[in-house]
Amino acid sequence: MLTKINHIGIAVNSIEEALPYYRDALGMTLTGTEEVASQKVKVAFLVIGESKIELLEPTSPESPVAKFLEKSGPGVHHVAYSVPDIEGAIAKLIASGTRMIDTVPREGAHGAKIAFIHPKSSGGVLTEICQ
Ligand code: CMX
């Protein structure tokens, strides 16, 4: 069902302030930034080999990422796996008793179709599948 880890999402207070570490100290390539207005976040993608890091900055105090930062501080927010068929993957997960936050895909960064698994079903790790 899963083909690879697509990205790891990391919550930050400010992408601008986080970039010197990821881009300059670690030497990752910044491939772009984008606002995902529906989820009240700005995201920056950094590439390292086949893998990506997604920095998430809230664009409003009501953003779920702002709430995460308030509760837990900056840090790992979610792990995202690639799937070739997201509707099929959601159906399989539900059939296996996995609780989904999204039973219907929503739009993520780069126009990808994404769905979150409820952390209650994934050992507390917010998990995203994306196509
Ligand atoms: N890690 C662990 N648990 C988390 C979590 C996280 N990062 N975020 C939320 N939760 C928990 C909540 O505490 C809550 O637990 P309880 O049910 O025990 O209270 C549960 O998950 C559901 O969270 P919620 O906020 O009540 O539910 P919502 O449906 O309103 O929102 C979610 C869930 C995950 C979509 C939202 O919190 C979120 O993080 N949205 C931003 C998603 C994002 O990163 N978008 C960026 C673009 C995506 C991309 O392209 O990658």
Side-chain angles (χ1 to χ4, degrees):
M1 186 170 75
L2 311 177
T3 53
K4 63 173 187 175
I5 291 178
N6 184 282
H7 63 264
I8 296 172
I10 297 179
V12 297
N13 287 308
S14 156
I15 287 174
E16 202 189 331
E17 285 171 17
L19 278 181
Y21 170 67
Y22 288 97
R23 184 192 51 201
D24 306 332
L26 294 182
M28 294 184 185
T29 305
L30 175 68
T31 57
T33 58
E34 176 182 336
E35 188 168 337
V36 186
S38 58
Q39 290 164 58
K40 300 188 175 75
V41 288
K42 187 175 156 192
V43 303
F45 276 101
L46 294 129
V47 174
I48 175 82
E50 268 213 339
S51 310
K52 282 178 284 178
I53 293 291
E54 180 189 56
L55 302 180
L56 301 153
E57 173 190 313
T59 54
S60 135
E62 285 84 50
S63 165
V65 174
K67 290 183 186 136
F68 176 88
L69 286 166
E70 243 170 60
K71 201 169 140 189
S72 313
V76 175
H77 178 265
H78 66 264
V79 177
Y81 300 98
S82 293
V83 294
D85 166 18
I86 194 162
E87 282 87 1
I90 291 171
K92 268 192 199 161
L93 285 163
I94 291 173
S96 72
T98 304
R99 182 168 159 199
M100 299 297 299
I101 287 176
D102 300 303
T103 53
V104 173
R106 64 169 94 186
E107 192 178 327
H110 302 327
K113 292 205 281 183
I114 67 170
F116 286 98
I117 296 171
H118 197 285
K120 285 255 158 45
S121 275
S122 52
V125 179
L126 181 62
T127 302
E128 175 189 321
I129 52 172
C130 63
Q131 181 189 344

